[in-house]
Amino acid sequence: MDTIYKKIADIVGSNYVSNAAEELYIYSRDQGVQPARLPDYVVMPNSTEEVQKIVALANKEKIPIVPMGGALVLSGLTIPQRGGIVLDMKRMNRILEVNEKSHYAVVEAGTSQGMLQAYLKKHHPKLKHSVPDAPPVATIGGNIAIHGSGHLSQSEGGFHTEMVTGLEVVLASGEAVKLGSCSTVPKWFSRAPIPDLAGLFMGWNGTTGVITKIGLKLFPSPKLKDVMMFMTEDVDSITDILFRIIDTEMAEDIAFFVSPKPAYFEGYQLIMISVVANSEKEMKLRLELIRESVREYIDSKEAGFLPLPPYMKVKLVGAPQKNLSEFADVMKGGGFEYVGAIMPVESIPEAYRAGLEITSKHDITYSMGARIVGRGSCVMFYYAYPFNRADSKNIETVAKALEETNEKALEIGGIPWKTEISGQQLILERMEPGTYKMMTEIRKLLDPNGIMNPGNWEVQS
Amino acid sequence: MKQEYADIIHRCFRCGWCKLPTNYQDFNCPAYLKYRFETFSSGGRMWLLRAWLNGDITTSERLQQIFFSCVTCKNCVEACALPHIKDKLVDIFIAAREDLVEKSAVPPPVRDYLKAMSISGNPYKKPQAERGTWAEGLDIPKYTDQEYLFFVGDVGSYDEVGMKMARSVATLLSDTGVSFGILGEDETSDGNDVKALGEAGLYEHLAKQNIGILNERGVKKIITLSPHGYNAIKNEYPEAGGNFEVYHYTQVLGLMMNDTMPKGTLNAKVTFHDPCYLGRWNDEYWAPRFALGSIPGIELAEMDRNMKNALCCGGGGGNFFTDILGTGKDSAAQVRVSEAVETGAEILAVACPLCYKMLDDAVKAEDLGEKIRVMDVAEIVNESRK
Amino acid sequence: MYELKFDPAICEKCKSCDCIMKCQYIDMDLEKAKEEHRKLVRGEDSEILTQCVTCYACEEYCPYHNHPFYLIVERQEEKGIHPVPKPIEKSQVVMMAPKGRIGEKAAAEPVINLCYFPMLKGSISGKLYEGTSLILGSDIFCNLMFLHFARNSVIKERLPAMMDNIMKYHLNPGGAKEFICYHDECYGTYTSWAPAFGMEVPFKPIHLFDFLYNRLKELKSDIKPLNIKVAYQRPCSSRLCPEMDHFVDDIFELIGVERPEREYDRENALCCGGVLEAQQRFDLTEENQTKNIEDMKATGATHCVFNCPFCFFTLMGKVSEKGMTPILMSDLCRMALGE
Ligand SMILES: Cc1cc2nc3c(=O)[nH]c(=O)nc-3n(C[C@H](O)[C@H](O)[C@H](O)COP(=O)(O)OP(=O)(O)OC[C@H]3O[C@@H](n4cnc5c(N)ncnc54)[C@H](O)[C@@H]3O)c2cc1C
Ligand code: SF4
Ligand code: SF4
């Protein structure tokens, strides 16, 4: 018998490790267009201690480790580039603490977005966390490992990593460390005022350690929800319109989008604005202030708010938006992948035109849009391309279009987010050498054997 | 595999909505809940099926385990994000099992179950003559020309817990004044779970045999004990030439004869567990709740996962007999009884003999007997009359 | 092509200028009203063109049936006035365009024309509709809604093809000569708008309420009087066929419902606000809806019955919030039949 397998089984129990062809097949690929690569083992730890033992074993044996949450990143970041262990974190899904008085929660990294949402709704209905539009089985850990964003990113301060108040991570050595206030006092309220080491694990795609616990800010959850849809056909006015709305500080989520389907939306730009309030009176005021902010556009007749029937509103007020997953079936083919590029709001018109150009060149359909982050400090501009999983030519075309989109995004001054290995190369090529050198040295220090999700964030030879 | 299915398998996005109920409370696919590998979720199974049909993976024992661990509970159908595939998911899994059965590539317990069904006509390998013994001493007439036939099914006929439940229901129906009879030793398995396990040929044989007897006796209206039988007779038999007016017993008690149903008072907090084959398969959520709610003194408490979001007991799709899912902390039944206890209810009401046994065993396994007891809806009504 | 049959001489002689004087949204004294209206007739710019909220009501107010509203819409379009922001207008034109998906489906009388409301298919069932055939879809859609967008041209362009489709694919194959308009906007299209523009109508439209009334009479023995008070939300389209309004009273009498007198019913009915919202008149929307619903509530009505599905979708939430049940007329009748 395979001795590594046996050693792992001794740690997690034989039910939670597999090297069967079926598991290796599924864990070798994700929903996007990146090529598959088989792992050697799939392992599902149940505690920080188990993670420590597995990582220590892997380090000793120099076996790569790829942490995995919901595996919903779409850009292949959980595909084990050099084989080894895929560490499925979803058994570690305990909600350890919700501190109502200090507005934070502490959860295990494999906790799903959906379960935390349901838990808060039931036990702490006055509080909520920021939810990405990913399917609800996406994990809190996976999302912060890539600097995710969500429905409170506009109003409550930015990327989800900016909402993290502390971390527990397991280093390649097998040591577990706490970062943030929890390292010094028994509460998880803040990363300041001590040196901010948590940044060494956020946005790193699991290349610096395995995140096992997370402290997360919670925000008030007003009862009333409404949604507005602003429509225009002049993309050059978008930046101005967005800032008018953002600057009212009356909206929760703000997202710009365009889509050639349905046909009646083609050629128009839409802005979805979510508004929450504690009372009817407050809601009325918020809606009114938002409308007033764009009055000039309305009076010119060049833009306006689309009346939304109640059944449509019901679909639009929820987070996560299930219809985003539905986009995978546009080509009757069960797949899509997107370039999400972080860029300034002012780049939207250029980014939009670039998308039109690329999609028309490759003759593919698309959905594009941008979620506002941090009250307009930047946006996550997405170019989503659906494909037919049963059509390899179509997959190739979409893969090419994605690559070109990554390049284009960088060209116009954005940076692809959670990007494929190839996109990471493009970023590294443009990065200041000193910055890249520092990244590499930190990794060497934290992971001398290079076992943590190798292939990511490194210049390919 | 039917072309209609083969054509859409690749359309699963493997986005995993299907693992959760629509309120995201906790993992709600019993197979995934138990095994936790992506392969055991609905999406994983869709992708594996495609790989298998394309020859990318072989017909291994693991593959069989993966396919036969699905309890056909339809949580995935309810929760799937893609409107054009969701309704077909479980049909596709059953079709995959049919392909495996055809290749005789099935786990041993499945093989044993199907063998028993084909040789003895019941999973317990008991004589056909004992089918009616559950009714001994109850003075229930054989079906002649009464208004209804009471159809009991395998578990109600042979399993100890099932028999107890069959007796409660029959007693209550009699006392409600329902005119009914039974087939006793002439009853044949409804075949619902045989079909769910992919033995389409044997199912057809059983269905035809049943329909033959029912027609021969002039049966027009049927009340079933089990939601599984209810499902087969209601949704599958018409295709095999059997057209009957069929009711689950809770529909008779909760909706049709609630006025005449004799009841007393029972001061108890009760939580109801929706059987998949009554709820998600047949969209009946209210009848059992009406029956329970009409008893003075009963306070109904809902579990977080109720109605279309209910967590299966783990006994569907043949797993009651084959036990591919097995027991343990993450088994659906054990998770479910803990959820029931959380409501503060002292009675966990069921409406299916399979759920009854699964959950009853789970209460013992979790050592929760002091906190909660499992009772079927009719038993609860009967208790209120004591 | 299709020119509006409008007689300037009538307006010239008109002393009361009811079209403007009775308007709920334009506030002018008689002198000014006459002056502004004259400008309208002459094709000059007038405040009326921008103040009009396209509620159709002046079609009912004009005692001479001289089509004041259609004239406004003609002039708005001529002058490039857009009551609704342009992108929304253009997008609606595409959204409601014929999709060319129609196929032959013989419709035998009685035929129900469900307009372009596929989501209401379910409500065409039960005893009232027994034996009816159903037609609907973008390819038979009257398009009259474009009056609200000052786009008579869209109606002129599309309507003839729609009527052809109805005949060719549905009525002719089924040997039918008439149909029942589920939406009274269709009824208004064929009995008011088409004749006003000299467009031939090759079939006989029947108003839904006319049909419901007669069906209910046949089913009289099955009716269980509802004994409730029901406020009626009279829609803009009913301004094109005010002669049908009595059917509301007739039906109510048959099913045992009281239509309480209230300020905003009959000639003084208020727009549901859906169109006002599209026109970005948010304060007016709010004001109308509040006044209207409070008025309903004050009568002690338990239900609010709708003629127009669009009003229904617009107001259902707000009506329920005030504790009344929103219901479509057809469903109210079915309720009386115990369905
Ligand atoms: C329809 C759809 C909509 C989406 N919308 C959004 C959105 O609005 N906002 C958004 O941010 N994202 C969105 N996403 C992208 C993505 O699904 C989410 O960011 C998701 O939260 C990622 O979490 P995961 O658990 O699936 O991570 P995975 O895909 O499992 O992992 C992502 C990366 O993190 C690493 N990782 C995972 N867990 C750990 C851990 N415990 N420790 C260290 N490293 C770890 C992995 O190795 C990998 O590199 C969307 C995706 C889809 C399919
Ligand atoms: S079955 Fe549906 S919900 Fe589940 S992974 Fe496939 S597409 Fe997603
Ligand atoms: S039917 Fe139930 S057990 Fe089977 S895959 Fe769907 S959710 Fe899982």
Side-chain angles (χ1 to χ4, degrees):
Chain A
M1 191 177 186
D2 181 337
T3 56
I4 301 282
Y5 180 93
K6 194 165 171 312
K7 283 182 185 159
I8 300 174
D10 285 344
I11 299 169
V12 293
S14 58
N15 288 338
Y16 300 109
V17 51
S18 173
N19 57 2
E22 289 70 16
E23 276 77 40
L24 300 188
Y25 177 87
I26 292 291
Y27 285 82
S28 70
R29 59 201 64 227
D30 74 1
Q31 302 81 351
V33 298
Q34 302 309 309
R37 172 71 171 82
L38 289 180
D40 298 299
Y41 311 96
V42 180
V43 182
M44 299 191 289
N46 194 27
S47 64
T48 301
E49 292 69 37
E50 288 184 10
V51 174
Q52 287 180 274
K53 287 182 189 157
I54 294 161
V55 177
L57 172 70
N59 197 28
K60 186 160 158 253
E61 305 287 344
K62 300 196 172 46
I63 302 171
I65 281 223
V66 180
M68 187 195 107
L72 285 160
V73 78
L74 305 185
S75 46
L77 304 184
T78 57
I79 296 173
Q81 301 300 331
R82 316 236 164 104
I85 294 171
V86 172
L87 204 63
D88 181 336
M89 297 292 290
K90 289 192 289 297
R91 283 179 72 220
M92 289 183 61
N93 66 352
R94 296 168 193 89
I95 294 165
L96 301 169
E97 182 191 350
V98 173
N99 189 324
E100 246 191 61
K101 288 185 191 145
S102 299
H103 284 203
Y104 70 76
V106 184
V107 301
E108 287 185 331
T111 302
S112 72
Q113 301 286 349
M115 271 146 80
L116 177 58
Q117 205 181 1
Y119 183 88
L120 291 172
K121 198 169 161 194
K122 181 172 179 204
H123 300 284
H124 307 276
K126 289 197 183 124
L127 293 173
K128 64 183 176 192
H129 80 292
S130 181
V131 175
D133 277 321
V137 280
T139 66
I140 307 282
N143 189 257
I144 65 153
I146 57 163
H147 280 311
S149 53
H151 81 310
L152 303 182
S153 286
Q154 192 282 133
S155 58
E156 301 289 6
F159 291 100
H160 288 161
T161 37
E162 296 173 69
M163 303 176 184
V164 167
T165 58
L167 291 180
E168 179 193 80
V169 293
V170 171
L171 305 177
S173 61
E175 271 168 286
V177 291
K178 284 196 175 138
L179 309 170
S181 63
C182 63
S183 67
T184 311
V185 292
K187 286 201 174 171
W188 292 65
F189 49 84
S190 164
R191 275 149 60 192
I194 48 184
D196 189 8
L197 295 173
L200 295 175
F201 302 89
M202 303 194 292
W204 286 83
N205 303 355
T207 56
T208 45
V210 182
I211 301 166
T212 45
K213 292 189 184 101
I214 298 149
L216 205 57
K217 287 188 195 170
L218 301 177
F219 304 96
S221 180
K223 306 185 289 289
L224 302 181
K225 296 190 175 102
D226 206 337
V227 53
M228 311 165 91
M229 192 81 86
F230 195 69
M231 188 176 196
T232 162
E233 55 182 329
D234 172 21
V235 74
D236 291 311
S237 62
I238 283 295
T239 308
D240 182 52
I241 294 176
L242 282 171
F243 271 118
R244 284 166 182 252
I245 299 170
I246 293 166
D247 291 347
T248 62
E249 307 206 350
M250 289 296 119
E252 186 169 75
D253 196 8
I254 303 176
F256 153 85
F257 69 98
V258 294
S259 165
K261 276 179 190 168
Y264 52 82
F265 278 167
E266 179 160 20
Y268 302 105
Q269 297 92 37
L270 293 121
I271 298 170
M272 196 170 95
I273 308 150
S274 309
V275 185
V276 296
N278 285 303
S279 67
E280 295 283 354
K281 198 168 157 189
E282 180 189 344
M283 179 62 86
K284 220 176 116 181
L285 187 70
R286 285 179 179 269
L287 299 179
E288 211 167 301
L289 288 172
I290 292 171
R291 284 175 187 140
E292 277 316 303
S293 71
V294 289
R295 174 58 64 191
E296 257 175 75
Y297 286 93
I298 294 175
D299 289 346
S300 75
K301 302 286 179 183
E302 300 298 342
F305 289 94
L306 210 59
L308 297 173
Y311 61 86
M312 195 122 122
K313 281 197 179 179
V314 168
K315 265 193 160 181
L316 295 174
V317 291
Q321 290 277 304
K322 202 168 187 174
N323 54 358
L324 293 192
S325 298
E326 261 177 61
F327 184 67
D329 209 30
V330 164
M331 300 292 293
K332 298 191 165 64
F336 82 88
E337 188 177 331
Y338 65 102
V339 167
I342 311 304
M343 57 176 75
V345 179
E346 61 180 320
S347 299
I348 290 179
E350 203 183 347
Y352 163 80
R353 291 198 174 96
L356 289 186
E357 210 170 284
I358 292 169
T359 50
S360 111
K361 174 180 157 197
H362 291 280
D363 194 19
I364 54 176
T365 188
Y366 62 87
S367 163
M368 283 191 270
R371 167 174 264 153
I372 310 297
V373 177
R375 295 229 191 267
S377 65
C378 60
V379 297
M380 188 279 285
F381 191 105
Y382 61 88
Y383 302 84
Y385 307 146
F387 58 84
N388 181 350
R389 194 170 300 289
D391 177 348
S392 51
K393 268 219 109 68
N394 183 221
I395 292 180
E396 244 172 67
T397 311
V398 165
K400 268 204 209 104
L402 288 164
E403 265 184 60
E404 268 172 46
T405 310
N406 275 331
E407 281 190 44
K408 195 75 200 177
L410 278 157
E411 209 179 295
I412 61 181
I415 304 177
W417 157 66
K418 71 168 177 68
T419 184
E420 304 80 4
I421 299 271
S422 58
Q424 293 171 30
Q425 296 306 301
L426 296 175
I427 296 174
L428 296 179
E429 277 166 24
R430 286 161 179 77
M431 191 179 268
E432 297 258 339
T435 315
Y436 179 59
K437 185 167 164 240
M438 186 175 162
M439 277 172 68
T440 317
E441 280 171 6
I442 286 171
R443 269 178 84 178
K444 262 197 208 128
L445 196 71
L446 290 172
D447 176 19
N449 291 322
I451 59 163
M452 296 305 307
N453 206 358
N456 276 272
W457 286 136
E458 59 194 46
V459 174
Q460 312 275 301
S461 43
Chain B
M1 176 88 29
K2 266 205 229 167
Q3 201 55 42
E4 177 200 351
Y5 299 155
D7 285 346
I8 59 170
I9 293 171
H10 69 282
R11 288 170 73 174
C12 162
F13 185 35
R14 203 155 64 78
C15 48
W17 285 85
C18 49
K19 291 175 189 166
L20 296 170
T22 61
N23 63 7
Y24 317 148
Q25 207 72 40
D26 206 338
F27 295 128
N28 217 33
C29 163
Y32 179 73
L33 175 65
K34 177 66 195 282
Y35 289 97
R36 299 299 175 97
F37 287 107
E38 292 289 322
T39 38
F40 284 82
S41 70
S42 177
R45 210 173 275 120
M46 288 289 274
W47 280 39
L48 279 180
L49 178 56
R50 179 158 176 253
W52 184 57
L53 293 174
N54 289 344
D56 293 338
I57 52 168
T58 57
T59 316
S60 66
E61 278 176 27
R62 183 66 162 179
L63 188 80
Q64 296 167 31
Q65 184 192 20
I66 289 168
F67 274 95
F68 284 93
S69 64
C70 164
V71 294
T72 66
C73 72
K74 284 202 176 176
N75 176 71
C76 51
V77 172
E78 193 63 48
C80 169
L82 302 193
H84 300 288
I85 66 163
K86 62 189 299 186
D87 293 336
K88 308 264 165 55
L89 291 171
V90 169
D91 298 341
I92 289 173
F93 301 149
I94 292 176
R97 289 174 174 186
E98 283 171 12
D99 287 3
L100 288 168
V101 167
E102 212 156 88
K103 292 187 160 55
S104 298
V106 301
V110 176
R111 181 197 58 210
D112 296 345
Y113 168 78
L114 293 173
K115 197 166 151 201
M117 288 304 292
S118 109
I119 293 172
S120 317
N122 69 72
Y124 302 92
K125 299 185 205 153
K126 294 224 176 119
Q128 178 68 17
E130 285 177 22
R131 264 209 187 256
T133 47
W134 66 271
E136 268 168 19
L138 279 189
D139 195 23
I140 296 172
K142 274 290 182 60
Y143 183 82
T144 49
D145 58 352
Q146 295 91 332
E147 184 175 1
Y148 295 98
L149 167 78
F150 179 43
F151 188 93
V152 187
D154 296 339
V155 182
S157 300
Y158 294 109
D159 182 278
E160 204 179 313
V161 170
M163 286 161 80
K164 182 173 92 160
M165 179 166 160
R167 291 168 70 86
S168 320
V169 174
T171 308
L172 183 55
L173 288 175
S174 292
D175 295 354
T176 302
V178 180
S179 147
F180 72 97
I182 58 171
L183 288 176
E185 62 203 39
D186 294 333
E187 196 182 285
T188 302
S189 170
D190 51 65
N192 190 68
D193 295 2
V194 172
K195 183 162 198 299
L197 279 169
E199 205 351 338
L202 178 57
Y203 158 74
E204 255 164 58
H205 167 76
L206 292 169
K208 288 244 157 72
Q209 192 173 330
N210 237 341
I211 292 167
I213 298 169
L214 296 170
N215 281 338
E216 190 187 295
R217 301 287 166 89
V219 173
K220 296 264 178 314
K221 297 186 186 179
I222 300 174
I223 299 169
T224 71
L225 175 72
S226 171
H228 295 239
Y230 172 70
N231 180 65
I233 299 172
K234 181 168 173 232
N235 300 322
E236 303 294 344
Y237 281 20
E239 208 172 300
N243 291 295
F244 308 99
E245 207 178 304
V246 56
Y247 301 95
H248 182 248
Y249 81 89
T250 55
Q251 294 177 317
V252 176
L253 300 177
L255 300 174
M256 295 152 68
M257 299 181 191
N258 202 286
D259 299 341
T260 42
M261 178 173 80
K263 52 200 160 204
T265 301
L266 184 66
N267 291 315
K269 194 164 175 181
V270 178
T271 188
F272 178 69
H273 164 80
D274 292 273
C276 305
Y277 276 92
L278 193 60
R280 279 185 293 257
W281 279 77
N282 286 296
D283 216 24
E284 178 60 87
Y285 299 106
W286 289 105
R289 287 180 171 78
F290 283 151
L292 291 169
S294 71
I295 303 169
I298 282 192
E299 181 196 340
L300 272 177
E302 291 290 356
M303 288 181 264
D304 288 339
R305 289 177 279 184
N306 59 63
M307 302 211 222
K308 65 182 191 324
N309 283 332
L311 170 64
C312 170
C313 71
N319 192 64
F320 179 83
F321 306 106
T322 60
D323 203 22
I324 308 279
L325 273 188
T327 51
K329 275 280 165 214
D330 282 338
S331 75
Q334 279 169 244
V335 173
R336 189 60 167 165
V337 294
S338 303
E339 194 178 354
V341 166
E342 268 177 44
T343 65
E346 63 249 58
I347 297 175
L348 170 54
V350 293
C352 166
L354 287 75
C355 298
Y356 199 147
K357 174 123 165 97
M358 295 294 292
L359 297 177
D360 203 35
D361 288 351
V363 167
K364 288 174 198 141
E366 289 280 309
D367 203 12
L368 290 171
E370 305 242 304
K371 294 200 167 134
I372 204 160
R373 60 189 171 131
V374 182
M375 293 176 84
D376 101 81
V377 173
E379 208 177 356
I380 294 170
V381 180
N382 289 336
E383 172 111 344
S384 78
R385 299 153 64 198
K386 277 182 192 156
Chain C
M1 284 274 278
Y2 308 114
E3 291 285 332
L4 176 63
K5 290 184 185 161
F6 165 77
D7 185 353
I10 294 179
C11 293
E12 201 52 50
K13 278 186 259 162
C14 173
K15 297 216 165 29
S16 58
C17 203
D18 282 348
C19 56
I20 305 301
M21 295 309 290
K22 287 192 178 178
C23 174
Q24 294 159 299
Y25 307 98
I26 299 176
D27 187 16
M28 291 176 184
D29 60 31
L30 184 60
E31 263 330 289
K32 167 116 172 150
K34 280 187 171 168
E35 179 49 31
E36 290 298 323
H37 196 261
R38 235 172 266 135
K39 290 187 196 164
L40 199 68
V41 173
R42 283 192 231 117
E44 293 162 12
D45 287 343
S46 160
E47 287 170 31
I48 295 172
L49 294 175
T50 45
Q51 288 185 23
C52 165
V53 305
T54 71
C55 77
Y56 297 18
C58 46
E59 280 295 298
E60 179 176 357
Y61 300 151
C62 172
Y64 313 105
H65 307 296
N66 202 22
H67 302 307
F69 175 58
Y70 299 153
L71 178 70
I72 293 176
V73 176
E74 282 287 279
R75 295 287 187 260
Q76 283 177 324
E77 186 161 16
E78 278 164 30
K79 301 207 167 289
I81 287 171
H82 298 269
V84 175
K86 285 184 256 176
I88 299 178
E89 171 196 315
K90 287 194 267 181
S91 156
Q92 286 290 312
V93 172
V94 178
M95 183 193 275
M96 305 315 275
K99 306 288 179 301
R101 293 203 196 108
I102 196 167
E104 183 167 319
K105 183 182 161 223
E109 286 174 12
V111 180
I112 308 282
N113 180 344
L114 191 55
C115 191
Y116 194 9
F117 289 112
M119 60 292 216
L120 293 177
K121 265 186 182 168
S123 86
I124 308 300
S125 62
K127 282 181 244 168
L128 279 174
Y129 296 103
E130 231 161 60
T132 58
S133 6
L134 188 65
I135 61 174
L136 78 163
S138 66
D139 296 299
I140 65 166
F141 173 53
C142 67
N143 281 279
L144 203 70
M145 62 177 272
F146 288 107
L147 287 174
H148 296 300
F149 297 76
R151 292 295 297 272
N152 254 327
S153 58
V154 174
I155 313 171
K156 289 179 193 172
E157 182 195 314
R158 290 181 182 170
L159 189 57
M162 300 288 144
M163 293 198 284
D164 282 352
N165 283 345
I166 293 176
M167 290 310 293
K168 181 169 158 206
Y169 293 105
H170 299 316
L171 299 193
N172 284 341
K177 301 210 160 20
E178 55 181 45
F179 58 75
I180 296 119
C181 302
Y182 187 88
H183 192 195
D184 73 354
E185 182 137 292
C186 300
Y187 185 81
T189 305
Y190 301 122
T191 57
S192 164
W193 191 92
F197 285 86
M199 209 179 264
E200 292 266 342
V201 175
F203 39 68
K204 181 182 166 211
I206 298 169
H207 196 275
L208 175 72
F209 292 178
D210 187 351
F211 166 78
L212 289 176
Y213 176 68
N214 287 306
R215 270 282 161 121
L216 284 168
K217 271 204 305 195
E218 288 164 27
L219 295 166
K220 196 153 183 190
S221 56
D222 296 344
I223 297 177
K224 289 196 200 82
L226 292 170
N227 296 322
I228 48 175
K229 247 191 214 177
V230 178
Y232 175 50
Q233 166 59 26
R234 197 177 165 221
C236 53
S237 51
S238 73
R239 306 290 196 167
L240 310 182
C241 52
E243 68 282 7
M244 292 289 129
D245 191 57
H246 70 90
F247 279 117
V248 176
D249 299 305
D250 302 344
I251 291 172
F252 276 17
E253 194 179 327
L254 273 181
I255 60 176
V257 164
E258 182 192 341
R259 177 181 182 178
E261 282 309 321
R262 64 184 191 103
E263 191 173 349
Y264 302 115
D265 192 1
R266 307 198 193 258
E267 205 181 74
N268 200 30
L270 276 182
C271 165
C272 69
V275 165
L276 305 177
E277 200 187 342
Q279 295 176 350
Q280 319 287 298
R281 300 177 196 256
F282 304 112
D283 293 341
L284 189 57
T285 309
E286 167 94 26
E287 186 192 321
N288 258 27
Q289 293 179 340
T290 310
K291 278 198 305 201
N292 195 5
I293 294 175
E294 272 170 11
D295 182 45
M296 292 178 191
K297 189 72 193 158
T299 65
T302 56
H303 291 66
C304 169
V305 73
F306 292 88
N307 172 333
C308 165
F310 184 70
C311 299
F312 176 74
F313 292 127
T314 305
L315 284 180
M316 58 190 281
K318 299 209 160 76
V319 164
S320 331
E321 269 167 31
K322 287 281 172 231
M324 292 176 285
T325 310
I327 189 165
L328 284 162
M329 180 66 95
S330 155
D331 292 331
L332 185 71
C333 295
R334 290 179 55 196
M335 207 166 110
L337 292 169
E339 287 170 8

